[in-house]
Amino acid sequence: MIDSPLLKRQRRRERNKALVDLNLVSLIDIFTILIFFLLANSTEVEVLPSTKAVQLPESTSTDSPKQAVVIVVNDQEITVQGIKVAAVPDVSKIDGDVIAPLKQELEQLSGRQLIGTDEKSGIKSVTIMGDKEIPYRLLRKVMVTCAQANYNEISFAVLKKKG
């Protein structure tokens, strides 16, 4: 008896059907783990850059920080988003309140990206991480420069007091 090509194809298809059995349990486990990982790591917490050169003051504030441009000020330098913009000894010699290199960097950031900007209201935010030992005069110059660069919302990074 000669089998037709259609009959041979049908037998071959039935024979190979049993070999293509997928085990979906392991795939479901992987997707479950992936979902839990994504949910656990999707919190709205801003991580400020860690620097050993800055000792933050302590505070009892309960407000959590927003995403903003980060300015780090210690006794040696002023950095914006990790880029050094000015040396503190040079800034101390300036007579006015505006630090020109800092203002220029803030204006460039403002035009280049929308970090720390509330698109609806146009409010630009900046977070200042100032060492607790820096003089108020330097901190005032940084704040005035931020205001001159049209950053409306200025926040300070602090450590939460225990207790």
Side-chain angles (χ1 to χ4, degrees):
M1 176 169 160
I2 299 175
D3 290 336
S4 70
L6 290 175
L7 191 57
K8 285 181 183 180
R9 182 184 286 168
Q10 184 179 5
R11 283 189 201 144
R12 194 171 45 239
R13 193 177 287 166
E14 288 175 9
R15 185 178 66 222
N16 292 338
K17 251 186 187 176
L19 298 176
V20 186
D21 186 25
L22 283 175
N23 187 0
L24 295 177
V25 174
S26 61
L27 288 175
I28 291 172
D29 289 343
I30 290 171
F31 284 122
T32 304
I33 291 170
L34 183 64
I35 287 172
F36 281 123
F37 174 77
L38 292 174
L39 287 175
N41 291 319
S42 67
T43 58
E44 294 283 330
V45 175
E46 180 185 6
V47 178
L48 294 174
S50 175
T51 176
K52 294 179 183 177
V54 175
Q55 291 181 327
L56 296 176
E58 292 185 355
S59 173
T60 57
S61 175
T62 58
D63 294 341
S64 59
K66 299 176 187 175
Q67 185 175 1
V69 174
V70 178
I71 300 173
V72 178
V73 183
N74 60 28
D75 59 344
Q76 298 297 317
E77 63 187 12
I78 300 172
T79 62
V80 178
Q81 298 293 97
I83 300 168
K84 180 180 175 181
V85 294
V88 170
D90 297 338
V91 170
S92 300
K93 295 174 186 174
I94 297 173
D95 289 332
D97 285 336
V98 176
I99 305 167
L102 177 60
K103 183 178 179 186
Q104 181 181 358
E105 184 66 26
L106 289 173
E107 287 173 346
Q108 282 181 349
L109 280 174
S110 176
R112 196 173 1 156
Q113 58 191 9
L114 296 175
I115 288 180
T117 303
D118 185 0
E119 294 178 18
K120 296 173 191 162
S121 62
I123 295 175
K124 293 186 280 186
S125 302
V126 65
T127 300
I128 300 173
M129 290 180 64
D131 191 277
K132 64 182 181 181
E133 299 297 324
I134 61 171
Y136 176 73
R137 181 174 292 134
L138 175 61
L139 190 60
R140 182 178 181 280
K141 285 183 180 186
V142 172
M143 290 189 300
V144 168
T145 303
C146 291
Q148 290 290 320
N150 294 324
Y151 281 81
N152 315 45
E153 197 170 283
I154 300 172
S155 305
F156 294 100
V158 292
L159 294 175
K160 190 172 183 178
K161 279 188 179 178
K162 294 179 177 114

